Amino acid sequence: MKFENHVIIEGRLSKKAELEKTESGKVFAKASICFNQFKKLEKPNENGYNYESIPNFFQIIAWEKNAEELSKSNVGDAISIIGQLRYSAWEKEGKKYSNVYILVSQIKKILI
């Protein structure tokens, strides 16, 4: 059985992307996207709202054309991303690290 791995996220760019190059010359960019999740509260808060807004931040990585498009966006811009979840693990100075990120396959700005 083959499982699909597709992610669609709409949010705001929370970290500016900067173009970088690998040793072989491939262009890539790393950034992050944020969207708010809303949690219902038992009682309204001091502002009278019965929900709490919880920000969610996700690292995104884009290559080539998508990296160039991502680098044109500014912090706060609304964007839509289609991609895949990816997992990476590494060891540094005897300590193990891991990370989950979104590999961008499509990106577009949302006009609000």
Side-chain angles (χ1 to χ4, degrees), residues 3 22 32-33 51-52 59 65 84 87 91 102 106:
F3 294 102
T22 64
S32 66
I33 187 171
Y51 63 88
E52 172 184 23
Q59 183 182 19
K65 210 175 203 180
Q84 295 181 331
Y87 173 82
E91 191 172 322
I102 300 168
Q106 249 182 359

Side-chain angles (χ1 to χ4, degrees), residues 10-21:
E10 293 179 343
R12 296 198 179 269
L13 195 66
S14 58
K15 180 182 175 189
K16 175 76 173 149
E18 293 185 23
L19 291 177
E20 299 181 45
K21 284 189 179 183

Side-chain angles (χ1 to χ4, degrees), residues 33-91:
I33 187 171
C34 177
F35 66 90
N36 290 335
Q37 176 182 345
F38 296 97
K39 178 182 173 186
K40 189 171 182 176
L41 300 172
E42 301 256 339
K43 299 177 187 175
N45 62 19
E46 62 275 358
N47 296 323
Y49 297 111
N50 63 346
Y51 63 88
E52 172 184 23
S53 179
I54 303 167
N56 290 267
F57 295 88
F58 293 93
Q59 183 182 19
I60 55 178
I61 298 177
W63 290 88
E64 303 294 339
K65 210 175 203 180
N66 288 320
E68 292 172 16
E69 189 63 33
L70 183 58
S71 71
K72 294 176 188 174
S73 297
N74 295 308
V75 171
D77 285 353
I79 57 174
S80 174
I81 291 176
I82 299 174
Q84 295 181 331
L85 289 177
R86 293 291 173 100
Y87 173 82
S88 63
W90 65 97
E91 191 172 322

Side-chain angles (χ1 to χ4, degrees), residues 87-101:
Y87 173 82
S88 63
W90 65 97
E91 191 172 322
K92 184 177 179 182
E93 299 174 2
K95 195 169 182 182
K96 293 183 179 186
Y97 298 89
S98 64
N99 185 28
V100 175
Y101 62 92

